[in-house]
Amino acid sequence: MTLSSSNQTSPIPLLTDEYLRHILEDSLEYAVVALDPAGMIVSWSPTAEKLFGYPAAEVLGQSGKIIFTEEDRRNGVPEEEMTLALEKGRAADERWHARKDGSLFFGSGAMTPIRAEAGEFLGFVKAVRDRTDYKKTVDSMKEKARLISLANLIVRDRDNKIVFWSKGAVEDFGFTQEEALGKISHELLKTEFPVPLAHIEEEFKRLGHWQGELISTTKGGRKVASASRWVANLGPDQTVSTILEVNNDITTRRKAEQERQEALAKLNILLANAPVGIGFLDQDLRYVHVNEALAEMNGRPVPDHIGRRVQDVLPGADGLLERLLEEVVNSKEAQLNRELSTGELGIQGPGRYFSANFFPVFTESKQLLGVGTIVWDITDQKQTRGKIKRILESITDMYLSLDSEGRVIDINSKAQAFMNEPREALIGKVLWEVLPYVKTNSQLPLQRALAERTPVHFEAESTMAPGRWSEVHAYPTETGLEVYFREITGRKQAEGKLIERGKRLGQSNRELEQFAYAASHDLQGPLRTITNFADLAAEKIGAGQWDGATEFLRRISAAAERMSKLISDLLAFARLGSFKGHAGAGVDLNSVLRDVKNDLDQSIGQTGAEIQSEPLPVVKADSALMHELLQNLIGNAIKYHSSERPRIRLKASRTGSFWEISVEDNGIGFDPKYKETIFDVFTRLHGSGRYEGSGMGLAICKRIVERYGGQIWAESVPGKGSTFHFTLPAATESKSAK
Ligand code: ADP
């Protein structure tokens, strides 16, 4: 028989071999590949086609190495296999093989050399089948076995003597297999059982298994906690033959658990002793946790809360608390600093105030768990605040409290009324931004007090209501400014009046001095005349010369008369000082002028004076005084006439609320340097011999005009004439004039 290459259709000579045929016929599972002595493929069975993915035509004549993995080819595995097959007559083939598409399968089979009957070497036959699944199962079992050997496994006989002691047990408990085998396990490990051993054994017998936590002592004396599971292994007689014990070290878990418990216990103590009320409610608003303080605030013991809905615990709250908590659940947002009173919550006993925070509580995955509540008793604060508020309301001052930015925190009702703004318009607003008059008058000093932390005191006038004054005292605090202020308009007005009066008093004192001086000086004149002539008259009479005395007596009489005139003028002037004047509806100066002209009829006739007047206004003044004023000015204009016939002109013009009236003449005039002093008492520029007069006329005029808030002044060109101007307030309704 010969081994020859042939295509797949031609019968393979090798198949005549009994052995090969047997393989082929027996099992289609096997891929059968025949190789020539050089290792080239000469036959390729249909199963080989399927298993390796190559059609026969593609591989015949190719190297048999193609079915090996790349790594095996690199390592010379195909050659090794052939050598081994030749040497031993068979080479087992248990390895990963490669398919045409590159995927691998685990193959199991053998390679056998083929010889002719004469012993001539013809080639090899390789038979392989896919054992991938099997391989995987074996591998995983091996892994399991490895893990089991690592686990803490003990097998005891029914007397608890150790018959198996795993690697894991060695590692966990420290005893070697030699030390452990044959010992009673709970004696070796000084096991601490959670319940007496007898109970455990009784349960184990009944159920065939047991589990629980044990504490064992290692060889090194360390305590180890383990979760232990026992399973009975029944013998043929259905009684327990051995006990399999699996232990899991839970020391770290136990420790962590213990620490957690301790932390929780501490937290509980903390919560229980906290001086604030702390509670937690689930989503249905049932109390889950309540500390003593909260229970005390609610007026019910802790157990009365747990598991009960909020409205059942505090039915008197009329749903208030329930609504607040529901809002937190719905909005998932906290309700902070809610002020609640025992009254609102329907809690019996003395009135108390609470400040409560209600906030949503979430799990780590942001799921709503319920509502937390923290409550403070603020009764004391509230009462103190109330007291302070009452004090601030009862003080006479207006009061404001500002924060560091000047925002209004508090205000008493007096200040509010003064500012004429509702409370809401002011609270929380920067004072000088809402009130423009504070901005203009008080912002700077208040800001200075805040910035420099120094008290400031100042007076400010309201620009809204000019004339309204306040006195402000501002004191910095830790957080802002306390401002006290009061209206001082009355005091300010009184002060103003006082100053005005002082001024007038000063003026009147000066006038009095002048007056006294002038009076003593001017009255001395006629008095001296009288004394002199009286002496002369006495001499004459003593000498019996009665006729000579008559002349002296006449002169004495004239001086006395002059003195009397002076005195009466003085009296008139002095009276003016206290004369209030009655400025009724107003005086028509045209009619006053008419009367004055009548009175001056004689001198007008004597001098041939001509008086012209524009229509004169109605002024707010007293008619008698107006008569006096015009009579003096026109009288002087006639009296101090020049050689020419006196021509007198009256004019009127309006300036604001005043009328200016001028009296112009063409008389002798006067030196302008006296234009001020001629208005003083007893000032006379033109000798007393030529012109009659007392020097009081212009002083009286000045006093009259000034009485009404007007002014009087004069201008003159000597030899040409003089003009006297005066102003008087216009009557509200001017009847005539322009
Ligand atoms: P008398 O009683 O002297 O007139 P007045 O006070 O009326 O006193 O006037 C003061 C002085 O002013 C007069 O003495 C006179 O010298 C001067 N005087 C007043 N009016 C005129 C006038 N129209 N023309 C010139 N001088 C005048």
Side-chain angles (χ1 to χ4, degrees), residues 26-200:
D26 256 13
S27 168
L28 281 172
E29 253 184 279
Y30 281 90
V32 179
V33 179
L35 306 173
D36 66 11
M40 296 300 167
I41 299 168
V42 290
S43 171
W44 188 255
S45 77
T47 307
E49 282 192 335
K50 240 190 270 166
L51 192 54
F52 293 106
Y54 297 100
E58 206 173 299
V59 292
L60 288 174
Q62 302 279 329
S63 163
K65 288 182 192 175
I66 57 163
I67 63 170
F68 287 81
T69 63
E70 188 142 342
E71 196 188 350
D72 282 353
R73 281 193 302 234
R74 248 202 329 276
N75 293 335
V77 175
E79 290 82 2
E80 254 174 44
E81 197 180 75
M82 287 192 282
T83 314
L84 196 69
L86 276 174
E87 275 172 14
K88 303 269 178 189
R90 185 175 187 274
D93 179 15
E94 304 282 343
R95 63 171 59 85
W96 292 95
H97 289 267
R99 293 196 183 92
K100 182 183 177 184
D101 65 7
S103 63
L104 301 181
F105 69 92
F106 190 80
S108 164
M111 176 178 264
T112 326
I114 311 291
R115 293 177 195 280
E117 272 158 41
E120 182 198 354
F121 175 54
L122 300 175
F124 301 95
V125 152
K126 189 177 164 85
V128 187
R129 62 175 170 156
D130 183 359
R131 295 301 299 272
T132 309
D133 290 345
Y134 168 76
K135 167 79 176 154
K136 279 186 178 157
T137 314
V138 170
D139 283 355
S140 93
M141 278 174 69
K142 275 189 188 158
E143 178 60 15
K144 275 181 193 146
R146 193 182 68 83
L147 289 176
I148 286 169
S149 81
L150 287 178
N152 181 328
L153 283 180
I154 304 171
V155 180
R156 298 182 256 129
D157 63 13
R158 52 185 119 187
D159 301 324
N160 283 328
K161 281 208 183 100
I162 297 164
V163 294
F164 176 79
W165 188 255
S166 75
K167 249 193 220 165
V170 173
E171 246 162 54
D172 284 356
F173 298 133
F175 297 103
T176 63
Q177 279 173 348
E178 293 76 51
E179 285 166 335
L181 292 175
K183 303 277 165 53
I184 309 269
S185 70
H186 59 259
E187 285 177 7
L188 179 75
L189 296 170
K190 300 188 186 110
T191 311
E192 294 167 28
F193 296 98
V195 289
L197 179 58
H199 291 196
I200 296 176

Side-chain angles (χ1 to χ4, degrees), residues 460-532:
E461 187 180 7
S462 165
T463 46
M464 298 277 284
R468 277 188 85 171
W469 281 82
S470 308
E471 177 186 79
V472 185
H473 301 273
Y475 304 94
T477 64
E478 290 288 293
T479 52
L481 205 58
E482 304 285 296
V483 187
Y484 299 86
F485 59 106
R486 60 177 69 172
E487 189 168 357
I488 50 159
T489 308
R491 194 185 87 195
K492 269 293 207 215
Q493 279 169 350
E495 271 174 20
K497 270 186 202 147
L498 221 57
I499 290 168
E500 187 53 35
R501 246 168 71 192
K503 267 195 211 153
R504 279 216 303 275
L505 214 61
Q507 169 78 13
S508 127
N509 272 345
R510 274 192 303 280
E511 280 174 6
L512 210 63
E513 261 171 40
Q514 210 180 49
F515 182 78
Y517 169 79
S520 64
H521 181 267
D522 280 64
L523 290 176
Q524 288 295 331
L527 209 56
R528 256 199 314 275
T529 311
I530 290 168
T531 0
N532 287 343

Side-chain angles (χ1 to χ4, degrees), residues 428-660:
K429 307 283 167 52
V430 175
L431 184 64
W432 36 87
E433 282 172 11
V434 268
L435 298 178
Y437 66 88
V438 176
K439 189 185 186 80
T440 19
N441 290 324
S442 309
Q443 181 183 358
L444 286 180
L446 291 178
Q447 277 177 330
R448 190 165 62 86
L450 273 171
E452 294 171 12
R453 296 186 143 276
T454 45
V456 293
H457 310 281
F458 60 94
E459 289 176 357
E461 187 180 7
S462 165
T463 46
M464 298 277 284
R468 277 188 85 171
W469 281 82
S470 308
E471 177 186 79
V472 185
H473 301 273
Y475 304 94
T477 64
E478 290 288 293
T479 52
L481 205 58
E482 304 285 296
V483 187
Y484 299 86
F485 59 106
R486 60 177 69 172
E487 189 168 357
I488 50 159
T489 308
R491 194 185 87 195
K492 269 293 207 215
Q493 279 169 350
E495 271 174 20
K497 270 186 202 147
L498 221 57
I499 290 168
E500 187 53 35
R501 246 168 71 192
K503 267 195 211 153
R504 279 216 303 275
L505 214 61
Q507 169 78 13
S508 127
N509 272 345
R510 274 192 303 280
E511 280 174 6
L512 210 63
E513 261 171 40
Q514 210 180 49
F515 182 78
Y517 169 79
S520 64
H521 181 267
D522 280 64
L523 290 176
Q524 288 295 331
L527 209 56
R528 256 199 314 275
T529 311
I530 290 168
T531 0
N532 287 343
F533 285 115
D535 285 351
L536 290 173
E539 258 176 46
K540 290 279 179 191
I541 291 165
Q545 298 172 342
W546 287 94
D547 285 349
T550 316
E551 174 58 17
F552 295 131
L553 288 176
R554 198 189 52 76
R555 291 212 182 181
I556 286 170
S557 165
E561 206 175 307
R562 201 154 73 82
M563 201 164 154
S564 161
K565 166 83 172 114
L566 280 178
I567 288 168
S568 71
D569 277 358
L570 264 177
L571 201 64
F573 180 79
R575 277 210 187 111
L576 264 180
S578 59
F579 182 79
K580 293 268 186 280
H582 13 84
V587 181
D588 183 350
L589 290 182
N590 298 299
S591 70
V592 175
L593 178 63
R594 257 194 315 275
D595 293 348
V596 168
K597 276 190 196 158
N598 263 339
D599 285 2
L600 294 174
D601 191 38
Q602 204 184 345
S603 53
I604 292 170
Q606 278 169 5
T607 56
E610 173 196 313
I611 301 173
Q612 283 181 355
S613 174
E614 290 180 352
L616 296 178
V618 178
V619 292
K620 216 195 270 178
D622 175 76
S623 64
L625 295 185
M626 290 303 101
H627 190 99
E628 182 88 24
L629 175 66
L630 287 188
Q631 180 150 353
N632 268 317
L633 293 176
I634 296 168
N636 280 351
I638 298 170
K639 185 164 50 168
Y640 299 105
H641 65 87
S642 62
S643 49
E644 283 177 41
R645 182 164 89 105
R647 268 199 320 278
I648 300 153
R649 221 180 289 275
L650 278 86
K651 289 181 187 164
S653 65
R654 178 83 181 238
T655 41
S657 57
F658 278 76
W659 282 103
E660 182 186 323

